[in-house]
Amino acid sequence: MNEIRHRVGIKARIEDIYEATYKPQKLQSWWATSASGSDSVGSLIKLMFPGYLDHEWEIVELAENERVHLRLHSGPDPWLGSELRFEFLATTDQVFVTLTHITVAETPAEAYQYFCTKWPTFLVSLKQYLESGQGMPFPNDIKIQH
Amino acid sequence: MNEIRHRVGIKARIEDIYEATYKPQKLQSWWATSASGSDSVGSLIKLMFPGYLDHEWEIVELAENERVHLRLHSGPDPWLGSELRFEFLATTDQVFVTLTHITVAETPAEAYQYFCTKWPTFLVSLKQYLESGQGMPFPNDIKIQH
């Protein structure tokens, strides 16, 4: 297993940040073009990226305002075996969001470098969505390659 | 040692990308507010980030259109012990730039996560500078925290 870790600091209510990482109608404000599904533990969230395969994530754990744990149920190849852990830490002036993306050992180096570079663009989108109301979900995401 | 690896794909001439990673007048177009120094092996490049300590990088190796290797000479705390390796690979439709940032073993987890999240914003700035002529050097960089 490889772990990719990123961190952003967001000025927003921790409840709003927490919900933005697992509620479908919020995921489509900063990550996917559209999202559907239920938002309880054990249910599936479907994320759609037109032109690419959908991702389906199982909600493994919801620790209110502390942690969200997702596991890929189905999705495109480099994502197979992926788990995501969002963790939230409130400080006096911002809430730190740490994202750990666990990939399987066989993840090719190219996919690994892609995740390492692409995730920050979506975390910046999450930050902008929560601070300004306007995120950059796919296909309006920041591009890192052609 | 820890290695952070990122990759972006840029549509530009490989010569221009190569030069943008070690020539002071180009580094100030996508990374630092201003930069000075010489651009030959063994010389020092000084990068200025007003409000923060300057960074001084020694040019360790220049392999034309292939690789640029920099070693921190002096700079702020989390950067101490850092080396940077930019590598360039031309494909039919873009040039891939891989950045390896080697940090020392004692790098605190927070600094490591900061680098992992912040570097992509500067690599996107490098990409935009080379593709559009307009980068996002400090203090116009994409912010990841407060």
Side-chain angles (χ1 to χ4, degrees):
Chain A
M1 307 294 264
N2 282 307
E3 288 198 352
I4 298 166
R5 278 174 185 256
H6 296 290
R7 194 175 82 147
V8 290
I10 302 180
K11 282 202 184 190
R13 297 190 323 149
I14 197 166
E15 307 90 287
D16 293 334
I17 301 173
Y18 169 64
E19 292 192 348
T21 64
Y22 75 95
K23 286 191 177 274
Q25 74 271 28
K26 300 198 170 183
L27 290 168
Q28 67 190 13
S29 294
W30 66 270
W31 186 9
T33 303
S34 57
S36 62
S38 178
D39 57 11
S40 52
V41 172
S43 68
L44 289 182
I45 302 166
K46 188 171 184 174
L47 299 183
M48 281 145 286
F49 302 87
Y52 295 91
L53 282 180
D54 300 338
H55 296 210
E56 280 187 304
W57 293 94
E58 179 195 343
I59 302 180
V60 176
E61 185 192 9
L62 293 175
E64 193 175 351
N65 300 341
E66 281 184 19
R67 191 171 51 255
V68 168
H69 182 178
L70 307 176
R71 182 184 296 136
L72 193 75
H73 180 76
S74 67
D77 209 18
W79 286 90
L80 298 180
S82 284
E83 306 207 2
L84 298 178
R85 200 168 56 231
F86 293 93
E87 291 167 292
F88 314 103
L89 179 69
T91 66
T92 48
D93 65 341
Q94 60 192 312
V95 177
F96 284 106
V97 177
T98 306
L99 169 66
T100 306
H101 179 177
I102 302 159
T103 63
V104 292
E106 318 87 78
T107 308
E110 277 189 17
Y112 185 74
Q113 289 168 26
Y114 178 83
F115 290 136
C116 281
T117 313
K118 190 66 188 176
W119 264 121
T121 71
F122 279 116
L123 291 173
V124 165
S125 174
L126 171 68
K127 175 176 165 64
Q128 292 184 0
Y129 162 56
L130 287 158
E131 293 181 349
S132 75
Q134 184 67 54
M136 298 172 289
F138 181 88
N140 301 314
D141 51 323
I142 298 172
K143 305 303 182 198
I144 63 165
Q145 64 183 46
H146 297 273
Chain B
M1 308 293 264
N2 281 309
E3 287 198 353
I4 299 166
R5 279 175 184 256
H6 296 291
R7 195 176 81 146
V8 289
I10 303 179
K11 281 202 185 191
R13 297 191 323 149
I14 198 166
E15 308 89 287
D16 293 335
I17 301 173
Y18 170 64
E19 291 191 348
T21 63
Y22 75 95
K23 287 192 177 273
Q25 74 272 28
K26 300 198 169 182
L27 290 168
Q28 66 190 14
S29 294
W30 65 271
W31 187 9
T33 303
S34 57
S36 61
S38 179
D39 57 11
S40 52
V41 171
S43 68
L44 290 182
I45 302 166
K46 188 171 184 176
L47 299 182
M48 281 144 286
F49 302 87
Y52 296 91
L53 281 180
D54 300 338
H55 297 210
E56 280 186 305
W57 293 93
E58 180 195 342
I59 301 180
V60 176
E61 185 191 9
L62 293 175
E64 192 175 351
N65 300 342
E66 282 184 20
R67 192 171 50 255
V68 168
H69 183 178
L70 307 176
R71 183 184 296 135
L72 194 75
H73 180 77
S74 67
D77 209 16
W79 285 90
L80 299 180
S82 284
E83 305 208 3
L84 298 178
R85 200 168 54 231
F86 292 93
E87 290 167 294
F88 314 103
L89 178 69
T91 65
T92 49
D93 66 340
Q94 60 192 312
V95 177
F96 283 106
V97 177
T98 306
L99 169 65
T100 306
H101 179 178
I102 302 159
T103 63
V104 291
E106 317 88 78
T107 308
E110 277 190 16
Y112 185 74
Q113 289 169 26
Y114 178 82
F115 290 136
C116 282
T117 314
K118 189 66 188 178
W119 263 122
T121 70
F122 279 117
L123 292 174
V124 165
S125 174
L126 171 68
K127 174 176 166 64
Q128 293 184 359
Y129 162 57
L130 287 158
E131 293 181 350
S132 74
Q134 183 67 53
M136 299 173 289
F138 181 88
N140 300 315
D141 51 323
I142 297 173
K143 304 304 182 196
I144 63 165
Q145 65 182 46
H146 297 273

